[in-house]
Amino acid sequence: MTGANAQREENDAALVLFKELSEQFHKTPLGTVDPALVRAWRSRTSLWQRMLPLFALQAGLKTEYSQVDGHQLHYWVGGLLSGPVVVLLHGFGSNKENWAFLTGKLAKNYRLLVPDLPGFGQSDFVPSADYHLAAQADRVAAWLKGLGIECAHFVGSSMGGAIAAQVAARHPSLVEKLCLMNAVGAPGKHLTQLESGLAAGVNYLAPTRAKDAWQLFAIVLHPQRRLLGLLFSLLMGGVMSQRKIPNDFLFCKLVDSFADTYRQLPSISAPTLVLWGGSDQVLDASCAEVFCERIAGAKAMVLPAVGHLPMLEVPGITARVLHDFWRAN
């Protein structure tokens, strides 16, 4: 790094903020996870896992497996065999099933690849592995190259958006167009409910008890989707609380990756759409402006009365927006 670049970084308010956030986070109980508990953790069968085949059926896709960097990666594949390839990357604490409402609306025109990211869902969690976002991006790139994919449209939600951005920066030839959906990696102007909780030592994205999952969905979904949130909290509360230990471990790696992701944004050359729910209480909608400032030519679209998960809340609108973006010159 040149002296001028180092000086710019030192004066970049966002990097200072991310450094302070990381330091503050690691001073809370959330920032320290007992390595022995992480190594001893094992997944258990839950109601949610028994229902996964139904979600695959709803999605209209089939499940496949790949070995990537010491992980067995579970993913959905399907859609139009000869169509443009679309890769959908889920957010923190989530899984490929988050895309089930959207995939049926894209499958007629695109070949879809939808993974459980390493460490999440049905894919392996390896306690000794590096789960910083750059390492996750390299695993996604290696997985796609192993499938013979040379170029694809990427859509990343939240943490998956940061990973997609890292793929675009680190493996530019692999990304034709990029959609960052309520993505991690840029600071917002306003404190969200999630951020307020983290400052108080509570991570709503990693509930301790099954019954606390309703709080998670009350934050990530717009209030108009309260019944949808209740349904998902009943279905997923058990598996979310059971995954508390690895999720706490993985969240630490996410926090430590904020600054690196932000630094990478100017390296992105792919046409980029920043799509946001205007009522997001996880990552403030003003983050979209920062992404557009950092990525040359990026355009933002903010959806009113939508929270953190547009693909779940308004899948029809989300599919239309993506289709128009991919067709545009």
Side-chain angles (χ1 to χ4, degrees):
M1 181 182 296
T2 67
N5 287 340
Q7 185 63 42
R8 277 196 296 270
E9 281 212 355
E10 185 177 338
N11 295 332
D12 191 313
L15 289 175
V16 172
L17 174 62
F18 285 142
K19 181 181 178 181
E20 292 175 350
L21 286 174
S22 179
E23 291 174 350
Q24 291 170 6
F25 175 80
H26 285 290
K27 289 178 182 177
T28 72
L30 297 174
T32 303
V33 185
D34 186 341
L37 293 178
V38 175
R39 290 192 298 270
W41 180 83
R42 297 292 182 272
S43 177
R44 295 197 302 266
T45 301
S46 66
L47 171 63
W48 174 256
Q49 289 169 315
R50 292 190 181 98
M51 295 189 64
L52 294 183
L54 297 178
F55 277 88
L57 186 64
Q58 159 73 25
L61 307 175
K62 64 178 182 177
T63 303
E64 298 285 355
Y65 314 90
S66 290
Q67 289 294 326
V68 181
D69 189 30
H71 295 74
Q72 185 181 68
L73 189 77
H74 287 229
Y75 64 96
W76 283 342
V77 60
L80 184 63
L81 184 61
S82 59
V85 178
V86 171
V87 178
L88 305 174
L89 303 181
H90 66 76
F92 175 81
S94 191
N95 43 56
K96 61 186 180 297
E97 285 72 27
N98 255 23
W99 300 101
F101 293 175
L102 179 67
T103 52
K105 301 181 183 304
L106 299 177
K108 293 186 203 175
N109 300 297
Y110 305 96
R111 181 186 177 194
L112 304 177
L113 292 168
V114 191
D116 279 333
L117 289 162
F120 297 93
Q122 292 178 289
S123 292
D124 286 345
F125 168 69
V126 180
S128 60
D130 181 0
Y131 287 108
H132 291 94
L133 299 187
Q136 292 283 63
D138 289 346
R139 290 189 186 104
V140 170
W143 164 59
L144 293 172
K145 291 173 183 177
L147 296 178
I149 304 300
E150 296 181 355
C151 194
H153 298 313
F154 277 72
V155 183
S157 166
S158 195
M159 177 193 73
I163 293 173
Q166 290 262 10
V167 173
R170 298 167 68 85
H171 306 273
S173 64
L174 197 54
V175 181
E176 185 170 353
K177 288 191 175 183
L178 174 66
C179 177
L180 304 178
M181 186 183 296
N182 297 64
V184 167
K189 295 178 181 177
H190 310 290
L191 193 68
T192 64
Q193 194 171 350
L194 174 71
E195 292 163 343
S196 178
L198 291 174
V202 179
N203 184 359
Y204 293 113
L205 298 184
T208 302
R209 302 172 299 178
K211 66 180 182 179
D212 293 336
W214 71 269
Q215 292 180 307
L216 183 158
F217 287 102
I219 291 171
V220 300
L221 300 177
H222 189 274
Q224 292 177 358
R225 283 94 194 180
R226 189 171 286 113
L227 290 179
L228 181 64
L230 177 61
L231 174 62
F232 274 105
S233 65
L234 292 172
L235 293 175
M236 298 184 66
V239 70
M240 284 181 166
S241 60
Q242 201 268 324
R243 290 188 63 92
K244 171 70 173 172
I245 290 171
N247 279 349
D248 282 346
F249 174 81
L250 292 163
F251 197 83
C252 290
K253 308 307 176 186
L254 175 62
V255 171
D256 291 341
S257 297
F258 287 167
D260 179 54
T261 301
Y262 177 82
R263 288 190 188 97
Q264 296 280 349
L265 297 178
S267 300
I268 295 172
S269 57
T272 301
L273 171 67
V274 183
L275 184 63
W276 223 274
S279 300
D280 192 351
Q281 279 301 309
V282 176
L283 298 167
D284 189 66
S286 61
C287 297
E289 301 172 20
V290 182
F291 277 111
C292 289
E293 291 168 1
R294 298 283 289 175
I295 302 172
K299 302 295 182 185
M301 178 181 291
V302 177
L303 303 175
V306 176
H308 189 61
L309 301 174
M311 69 286 201
L312 271 178
E313 300 179 56
V314 285
I317 293 173
T318 303
R320 261 197 326 272
V321 169
L322 290 173
H323 185 61
D324 289 345
F325 172 55
W326 293 329
R327 291 179 62 193
N329 293 328

